[in-house]
Amino acid sequence: MAATAVVLAAALGGGLLLIARRLWWAAGKVAGRASMEGKTVIITGANSGLGRATAAELLRQHARVIMACRDRGRAEEAARELRAQLGLCSRGGGECRGELLVRELDLASLRSVRSFCHRVLQEEPKLDVLINNAGIFQCPYTKTEDGFEMQFGVNHLGHFLLTNLLLGLLKNSAPSRIVVVSSSLYKYGEINFDDLNSELSYNKSFAYSRSKLANLLFARELARRLEGTGVTVNALHPGIVRTNLGRHIHVPLLVKPLFNLVSWAFFRSPLEGAQTSIYLASSPEVEGVSGKYFGNCKEQLLLPKATDDLVARKLWDISEVMVGLLK
Ligand SMILES: NC(=O)c1ccc[n+]([C@@H]2O[C@H](COP(=O)([O-])OP(=O)(O)OC[C@H]3O[C@@H](n4cnc5c(N)ncnc54)[C@H](OP(=O)(O)O)[C@@H]3O)[C@@H](O)[C@H]2O)c1
Ligand SMILES: *[C@@H]1O[C@H](CO)[C@@H](O)[C@H](O)[C@H]1NC(C)=O
């Protein structure tokens, strides 16, 4: 009897704590709203999770948002929902402030990255913010169209080519910003130059961490190259967020309810997780700040493996060859 009462009380107390924590997180976590009127922003992977929440908030700030997505159907559906939710008209102009466009971009195909950039360069007179947000997490071993290990190919190489091809436009639009969505899981990665395509062995957790470490080294080397241009680049980790990122993780049916409870209680919502992306894309506080790593809208320290300039430069050089920027 007494034992049951103790267990019940503990469960109830624990539950109340979780709810309190959830509500506390939900409140007061929205960054101050800057105006993005007249600014053009590209967000990769904007149809889902963090990218979608970032798009929604920047639209509220009246930006012109280009959703760069691999699946036109999913992207158009997300765009329809966002327009309805925000009361945007489908074409900008007139009374409508904020505009939403969908463009196809498959980061697992260099051909697709090139044709996306070609169209942007033809259509857009300027680009104020590029948010490299799309990502794939712990998928089974697969290769991109060009034969790269999928996580390295999409998370790093696709964005590497994308950013390089848009760099001229970003420079001409200075002051402009590049935002790189990395992850604190970079800590478990290494840039193993002898097997960047995981042909000798594949470990899906390692490959994800490696790709997120590559994002940080890329941002660092790029910031160095962009000194004095008025284009800034900063990286971030969003925390643990309830999104579709775990699609390749199999949770057994019986454990699902527990998993959902834990994720509801402890994971961030996409809008909470997107705060640092939004901050880096739009806040006047980070005007001119470059080459830094952020979490919770604050600068964070990195492990030495993510600040190694020799590795960063070597990764840059090899990436240039891999994506065909240098033959
Ligand atoms: N969620 C977290 O806890 C967490 C933690 C740390 C870092 N992150 C990072 O946050 C970023 C956003 O992830 P999320 O959590 O919002 O996950 P998500 O809901 O799965 O969104 C990922 C987006 O990337 C897109 N994408 C995947 N492969 C692509 C490709 N080949 N070409 C173009 N787009 C592609 C997806 O498109 P489809 O919808 O068509 O698949 C989707 O729009 C990722 O870079 C991830 O590494 C997330
Ligand atoms: C896979 O990589 C992760 C992260 O780097 C590591 O913790 C784990 O031990 C590795 N697993 C195997 C089987 O090597």
Side-chain angles (χ1 to χ4, degrees):
M1 261 321 260
T4 319
V6 167
V7 169
L8 273 178
L12 192 68
L16 286 175
L17 246 161
L18 289 186
I19 290 169
R21 173 163 197 161
R22 191 89 279 284
L23 294 178
W24 173 76
W25 253 341
K29 278 288 163 93
V30 172
R33 197 161 277 175
S35 171
M36 289 294 277
E37 187 144 20
K39 307 254 190 218
T40 299
V41 182
I42 292 179
I43 308 175
T44 66
N47 62 291
S48 170
L50 290 164
R52 181 181 164 140
T54 305
E57 179 54 30
L58 294 176
L59 282 165
R60 284 190 197 99
Q61 298 175 8
H62 303 137
R64 167 184 163 79
V65 174
I66 301 177
M67 304 173 70
C69 301
R70 64 170 157 177
D71 185 284
R72 181 158 276 280
R74 277 198 290 276
E76 293 288 4
E77 192 187 333
R80 257 196 311 280
E81 288 168 9
L82 279 172
R83 285 188 192 111
Q85 175 194 332
L86 298 164
L88 283 186
C89 32
S90 42
R91 246 164 249 287
E95 279 302 289
C96 312
R97 296 194 296 172
E99 190 183 352
L100 187 56
L101 287 83
V102 170
R103 294 286 177 268
E104 257 171 76
L105 168 69
D106 182 355
L107 291 156
S109 156
L110 297 180
R111 189 182 40 80
S112 170
V113 174
R114 287 186 178 282
S115 76
F116 170 85
C117 292
H118 184 74
R119 185 163 178 196
V120 168
L121 295 178
Q122 269 185 340
E123 294 179 346
E124 302 298 328
K126 70 185 187 80
L127 175 60
D128 301 282
V129 184
L130 169 65
I131 307 182
N132 290 344
N133 162 85
I136 180 159
F137 175 71
Q138 298 196 5
C139 53
Y141 186 61
T142 28
K143 287 186 164 181
T144 67
E145 189 176 288
D146 307 277
F148 308 133
E149 183 279 312
M150 186 60 73
Q151 300 185 70
F152 191 69
V154 169
N155 300 356
H156 170 60
L157 290 172
H159 282 120
F160 178 85
L161 179 61
L162 175 79
T163 309
N164 272 286
L165 294 180
L166 297 177
L167 219 46
L169 185 59
L170 283 158
K171 284 181 186 165
N172 290 336
S173 315
S176 54
R177 302 179 182 193
I178 300 168
V179 177
V180 174
V181 182
S182 180
S183 163
S184 52
L185 289 176
Y186 85 85
K187 288 174 193 160
Y188 307 104
E190 248 13 284
I191 308 295
N192 55 336
F193 288 104
D194 59 330
D195 193 21
L196 288 179
N197 280 322
S198 304
E199 273 152 357
L200 302 176
S201 71
Y202 182 63
N203 171 337
K204 60 185 184 172
S205 322
F206 172 80
Y208 179 74
S209 293
R210 174 177 66 183
S211 74
K212 292 287 136 179
L213 174 60
N215 288 161
L216 296 175
L217 292 165
F218 163 68
R220 185 171 178 89
E221 175 65 14
L222 183 58
R224 196 185 64 74
R225 289 172 183 247
L226 288 173
E227 265 170 40
T229 62
V231 186
T232 62
V233 50
N234 291 292
L236 69 103
H237 77 83
I240 304 177
V241 192
R242 241 174 293 122
T243 67
N244 292 321
L245 196 67
R247 69 188 84 196
H248 295 291
I249 306 299
H250 175 72
V251 181
L253 208 62
L254 283 173
V255 185
K256 267 239 156 85
L258 184 68
F259 178 83
N260 289 341
L261 182 71
V262 168
S263 93
W264 177 82
F266 292 107
F267 292 13
R268 296 176 177 186
S269 71
L271 182 60
E272 289 161 352
Q275 289 308 308
T276 308
S277 297
I278 295 159
Y279 176 73
L280 290 176
S282 66
S283 172
E285 275 176 36
V286 281
E287 180 91 63
V289 173
S290 192
K292 306 284 192 233
Y293 176 60
F294 288 79
N296 293 324
C297 301
K298 289 200 178 64
E299 192 185 336
Q300 310 268 311
L301 287 178
L302 284 167
L303 293 182
K305 65 164 89 176
T307 57
D308 186 324
D309 290 322
L310 285 177
V311 176
R313 196 169 304 197
K314 187 169 170 191
L315 176 65
W316 184 283
D317 292 343
I318 287 179
S319 302
E320 270 186 336
V321 175
M322 289 177 93
V323 303
L325 278 174
L326 269 193
K327 293 257 152 55

